[in-house]
Amino acid sequence: SQQGEEDPQALSIQEGENATMNCSYKTSINNLQWYRQNSGRGLVHLILIRSNEREKHSGRLRVTLDTSKKSSSLLITASRAADTASYFCATGNRDDKIIFGKGTRLHILP
Amino acid sequence: AAGVIQSPRHLIKEKRETATLKCYPIPRHDTVYWYQQGPGQDPQFLISFYEKMQSDKGSIPDRFSAQQFSDYHSELNMSSLELGDSALYFCASSVGRQNYYGYTFGSGTRLTVV
């Protein structure tokens, strides 16, 4: 069953602008992860935020988690052409698997 | 640093044929997960193994089977292939059963059924 829902499904912004993607989920989680996927390529782990954390930074990435609203956001600052990709949130619980949402397709315009 | 190795990278099979996909986890990783990603779709969990035992099962068709071997590599066997099986198949590995650090994914096997 689907867990994460990304919003928006597609996003086009100018290079240099900030990009924000949101993810909502339904059940309780241990952690939430964000992955990037270039077209038809592998999934690259970006950042993991645990359920007891509210915000996490990694380079130009900032992730927030609101467990009361069951939502997370991924902010990419000062976007670059190389950031063009699909971004997925994935929720992890006590089970051995993570469940992916449908992803946001981000397109950075030159 | 060593990554998750999947083979083959590309595979073309005809309907009703059989395919075997292989996954070699990062050294000392004892847990393997398989995901299927259809065109334009999100990755769907198929099955996972921990210490050579099946640990969880997702939307894996009965025509598919998988196992993890003593060296921790895993194989996904797919029989009676259908056109709808065409997809990217990802393997990921981790240490232990608690997903604390995120998974490392392989580059995937692109299966095309014709």
Side-chain angles (χ1 to χ4, degrees):
Chain A
S1 60
Q2 182 175 301
Q3 172 73 314
E5 289 266 6
E6 271 85 4
D7 166 38
Q9 292 191 349
L11 178 64
S12 293
I13 61 172
Q14 293 293 137
E15 191 169 13
E17 293 182 337
N18 297 341
T20 300
M21 289 160 272
N22 302 299
C23 167
S24 61
Y25 57 92
K26 296 174 183 173
T27 64
S28 60
I29 61 172
N30 276 358
N31 61 67
L32 187 144
Q33 304 166 39
W34 285 90
Y35 287 83
R36 184 185 73 226
Q37 184 178 37
N38 291 87
S39 179
R41 307 291 292 274
L43 293 153
V44 176
H45 179 255
L46 295 176
I47 199 164
L48 180 151
I49 185 166
R50 300 202 172 97
S51 58
N52 61 351
E53 297 175 310
R54 292 296 167 258
E55 187 171 312
K56 206 162 184 179
H57 297 255
S58 177
R60 295 183 295 114
L61 306 180
R62 172 177 168 255
V63 168
T64 63
L65 180 64
D66 187 335
T67 53
S68 66
K69 295 180 180 178
K70 291 187 168 56
S71 67
S72 172
S73 69
L74 170 67
L75 168 68
I76 303 175
T77 60
S79 62
R80 304 168 183 169
D83 295 328
T84 294
S86 290
Y87 291 82
F88 293 91
C89 75
T91 53
N93 54 23
R94 288 189 182 86
D95 295 344
D96 294 348
K97 61 183 182 289
I98 57 172
I99 304 296
F100 284 86
K102 290 205 176 298
T104 293
R105 290 181 300 282
L106 176 65
H107 187 204
I108 308 300
L109 303 169
Chain B
V4 177
I5 307 297
Q6 289 188 247
S7 68
R9 291 293 302 273
H10 303 274
L11 190 59
I12 299 175
K13 290 285 186 178
E14 295 189 353
K15 283 193 304 183
R16 292 180 288 278
E17 283 194 321
T18 297
T20 298
L21 279 54
K22 298 184 179 182
C23 169
Y24 297 87
I26 290 173
R28 292 184 293 282
H29 280 199
D30 51 13
T31 309
V32 168
Y33 313 81
W34 286 97
Y35 285 80
Q36 176 193 56
Q37 186 179 28
Q41 303 295 312
D42 53 300
Q44 295 290 322
F45 173 72
L46 293 178
I47 196 166
S48 62
F49 293 88
Y50 167 67
E51 282 293 341
K52 294 155 278 186
M53 299 283 290
Q54 179 182 309
S55 57
D56 202 355
K57 197 171 182 179
S59 52
I60 184 169
D62 291 340
R63 300 177 288 107
F64 294 5
S65 65
Q67 57 182 321
Q68 186 179 32
F69 295 85
S70 58
D71 64 351
Y72 295 103
H73 94 274
S74 178
E75 294 184 4
L76 177 66
N77 298 294
M78 311 158 71
S79 62
S80 302
L81 287 169
E82 302 173 357
L83 294 178
D85 296 328
S86 295
L88 264 172
Y89 290 84
F90 290 107
C91 167
S93 72
S94 68
V95 176
R97 297 186 67 178
Q98 293 300 316
N99 181 22
Y100 288 140
Y101 304 106
Y103 295 168
T104 301
F105 279 82
S107 297
T109 293
R110 181 174 293 282
L111 172 67
T112 303
V113 181
V114 296

